[in-house]
Amino acid sequence: MAIKLITIDIDDTLVNTAKQVTPRVKAALQEATAQGVKVVLTTGRPLPGVQEYLDELGLNHQDDQYAITYNGGVVQTTNGEELGGKELAYSDYLRLREVADELGAYLQVETIDAAYTSAKEINYWASRENFLIKMPLIIKPVDEMDPNDHYVKFMFIGDEADIDSWRDALPADVKEAYYIVKSTPQHLEFMHKDATKGSGLLTLVAKLGIDRSETMALGDQQNDVTMIEAAGLGVAMGNAVPEVKAVADVETTTQNTDGVGVAVEKWVLGRDVPELA
């Protein structure tokens, strides 16, 4: 079957290590869009952190183009209309704040509108995160948080060794209660059990009346595994972690050698591609 919907991770998938969409990737995606294929950026970021790439690809501020944000916590149009997803609660914040304090971990929560932390010192990786997501970071004590806010995602952020240590030390009830994924070596993310990139893809499949066999997903990190598994054609980037390559149907080239463009040319546009011969 022809591919009608493509879900694409952003960091080190859509963009190269310089955070750029290469000309070949852009051209392939724009050609696919012109043929009616839905190109869906699928990311741990909130919508504000995706805008520049939606603008570059000509997909922004439209009622019939889509984005999967917060790792599947929110499925929405690029105009911002929410179509699905799963949120967390203030009680989840209190429990994870307690665990973070026990472990000495930096905890950040992201809502629809802003990011919050009760920490008085923002580490390098958290500063970098907030630059990328383009949302305000508000330092607020726990008892001043709004219990009725829209809590979408919680994160431990720190050096890779710390992330691995904190993950290994998580209490059993926390491991059971959340979908927990290491989205980068410096980010450990906690979301609703049913909020994944894969569930976001399936939400759009149902919304658009597309068969799963008509979808393709591309990614490189652990938080991409569920959508690689859910798609009709799961594509691992050449730079993907072993967990992604293990579940993918095929592999393309790396983020620095036009991997998304190469894959779209071959499996969506139907061209012979020397790199994947």
Side-chain angles (χ1 to χ4, degrees), residues 12 25-26 67 81 90 114 159 178 209 224 238 242 254 258 275:
D12 292 317
V25 169
K26 181 177 179 178
E81 178 188 358
Y90 180 65
D159 293 335
Y178 305 101
D224 299 317
T254 72
D258 305 306
E275 292 93 334

Side-chain angles (χ1 to χ4, degrees), residues 6 8 14 25-34 39 57 260 264:
I6 312 169
I8 309 172
L14 175 71
V25 169
K26 181 177 179 178
L29 291 177
Q30 289 184 328
E31 185 173 346
T33 299
V39 172
L57 296 173
V260 168
V264 171

Side-chain angles (χ1 to χ4, degrees), residues 8-21 41-46 49-50 52-53 71 128-129 131-134 153 183-185 187 189 197 218-224 227 237 239-240 255-256 260:
I8 309 172
D9 171 57
I10 293 181
D11 295 303
D12 292 317
T13 299
L14 175 71
V15 300
N16 59 20
T17 52
K19 302 299 181 185
Q20 298 169 334
V21 180
L41 303 191
T42 306
T43 176
R45 302 184 189 191
V50 184
E52 63 180 298
Y53 301 120
N71 281 324
R128 186 173 181 272
E129 163 73 9
F131 173 78
L132 291 173
I133 66 174
K134 295 178 170 58
K153 183 175 71 171
S183 58
T184 78
H187 295 76
E189 306 195 0
K197 289 187 177 184
L218 301 100
D220 73 301
Q221 284 292 329
Q222 292 177 7
N223 61 333
D224 299 317
M227 74 171 182
M237 298 296 292
N239 53 286
Q255 83 280 42
N256 290 325
V260 168

